[in-house]
Amino acid sequence: MKRGLGKTLLALSLFLMIAVVQTSCGGGGKSDSSSTGNTYHYVTQWGTPGNGNGQFDHALGVAVDSSANVYVADVRNARIQKFDSDGKFLSLWHVTVKNGGLATDLSGHVYALSSQPLIYKFDSNGTLLTQWQCGAACSSIAVDPSGNIYVTAENTGNISANYSLVKKFDSNGNFLTQWGSIGTGDGQFNSPGAIAVDSSGNVYVVDRDNNRIQKFDSNGNFLTKWGSFGTGNGQLNSPWGVATDSSGNIYVADTGNYRIQKFDSNGNFLTKWGSYGTNNGQFTYPNSVALDLSGNVFVNDENRIEKFSP
């Protein structure tokens, strides 16, 4: 009798141990992690369709400077609009920004990709400081803490030309290096979109048609990747925008899933928010994302900007 009871207790103990291990490990890799990050709360929004101050016509791209001023690429109105962090209109200047390619540096300069294709560098009031050639098919731009500029070049259907790459320039526009090619392997891209750089100089590229994010060091050496097509946590559907915060977390505008996803710097899923619609906190075309130094998140939803706080 005691021997039978002992076997029963041993079997029960093993079952409980297995259950605990399975619960702790979860059901998969990066894309299957459960939400462990903060919940983000809707704060405010601004923008309506039109061509007046504070209105937009096909806005693509948003950037925030160290003073929490918000810059929006108002593409079809051929201008950049500047707001304070609560959406109060401050100023504008005229330039056609290609694909919403917009970025700021730590000194408050504003960088924009034009359709020529040129890279423009402005001060925070819109005064043009310098410009230089980007090359064919440039689509998005980011600046690292040292002032180096990174640009993605997107394949436009000409598979004989290698437009699926990243280019790096110094702060004066001198070409430094480039990496990437068309494909699905590590370090290859299929329509590279937005690009972001963290405080350590790591580079994150939205590999849009491969539905993934790729991470590189500042010299273009591949470090890691995450994402696959789908609607689950960590999965992506035609992502467009990417941004980083001061802690190294990564925010992705998961455009086709109408949401923002947050990851740590290694691609582990932390949290998400958003759904399809026009109500507060919903999206119809979340195409870009940016953060201020307080951790507030600004999302460009084409003809409006939505602000969220942790």
Side-chain angles (χ1 to χ4, degrees):
M1 185 71 176
K2 290 182 179 180
R3 179 180 297 179
L5 179 60
K7 289 183 177 180
T8 301
L9 290 174
L10 177 60
L12 180 59
S13 298
L14 289 172
F15 173 81
L16 291 174
M17 289 173 64
I18 292 171
V20 168
V21 170
Q22 288 179 334
T23 302
S24 301
C25 293
K30 296 177 182 179
S31 63
D32 293 323
S33 301
S34 60
S35 177
T36 58
N38 296 330
T39 299
Y40 281 74
H41 305 281
Y42 170 86
V43 176
T44 190
Q45 67 175 285
W46 66 90
T48 56
N51 56 19
N53 294 346
Q55 294 184 309
F56 306 114
D57 186 355
H58 195 55
L60 295 173
V62 61
V64 183
D65 66 20
S66 57
S67 298
N69 296 306
V70 181
Y71 303 84
V72 180
D74 188 7
V75 175
R76 290 179 183 157
N77 285 325
R79 62 189 184 179
I80 294 171
Q81 296 196 61
K82 178 181 178 180
F83 305 87
D84 70 14
S85 63
D86 294 317
K88 178 184 176 181
F89 173 81
L90 298 177
S91 64
L92 64 80
W93 64 92
H94 290 280
V95 60
T96 300
V97 181
K98 180 181 179 182
N99 293 336
L102 197 63
T104 59
D105 65 19
L106 294 177
S107 299
H109 300 120
V110 180
Y111 299 80
L113 284 175
S114 78
S115 56
Q116 271 72 16
L118 292 169
I119 296 174
Y120 290 125
K121 181 179 180 179
F122 302 93
D123 68 15
S124 60
N125 296 313
T127 301
L128 181 64
L129 301 177
T130 188
Q131 66 185 52
W132 65 90
Q133 286 286 336
C134 172
C138 292
S139 63
S140 189
I141 188 169
V143 186
D144 72 15
S146 299
N148 298 304
I149 293 94
Y150 298 81
V151 176
T152 55
E154 181 179 4
N155 178 34
T156 56
N158 182 4
I159 60 174
S160 64
N162 182 21
Y163 294 150
S164 290
L165 50 82
V166 175
K167 297 180 180 182
K168 180 179 179 180
F169 302 87
D170 69 18
S171 59
N172 295 313
N174 297 303
F175 175 81
L176 297 177
T177 189
Q178 68 181 40
W179 68 87
S181 60
I182 299 170
T184 60
D186 295 346
Q188 293 185 308
F189 308 106
N190 189 358
S191 294
I195 186 169
V197 187
D198 66 21
S199 58
S200 299
N202 297 305
V203 181
Y204 302 84
V205 180
V206 174
D207 189 5
R208 189 169 64 245
D209 288 351
N210 285 328
N211 291 294
R212 65 185 181 180
I213 307 298
Q214 294 198 65
K215 178 181 178 180
F216 304 87
D217 68 17
S218 59
N219 295 313
N221 296 303
F222 174 82
L223 298 177
T224 190
K225 63 185 176 184
W226 66 89
S228 60
F229 177 76
T231 60
N233 294 343
Q235 293 186 307
L236 303 167
N237 183 1
S238 297
W240 275 74
V242 65
T244 65
D245 65 20
S246 58
S247 299
N249 298 306
I250 314 303
Y251 301 75
V252 178
D254 187 8
T255 307
N257 286 324
Y258 311 104
R259 65 186 181 183
I260 303 299
Q261 293 199 68
K262 178 181 177 181
F263 304 88
D264 68 18
S265 60
N266 294 312
N268 296 301
F269 173 83
L270 298 177
T271 193
K272 64 184 177 184
W273 70 93
S275 60
Y276 180 79
T278 58
N279 293 327
N280 295 345
Q282 293 186 308
F283 307 111
T284 59
Y285 188 54
N287 58 74
S288 52
V289 59
L291 285 90
D292 64 20
L293 295 179
S294 298
N296 296 304
V297 181
F298 300 84
V299 181
N300 188 329
D301 194 27
E302 188 171 21
N303 285 323
R304 64 175 178 174
I305 303 298
E306 293 194 75
K307 177 181 178 180
F308 301 86
S309 66

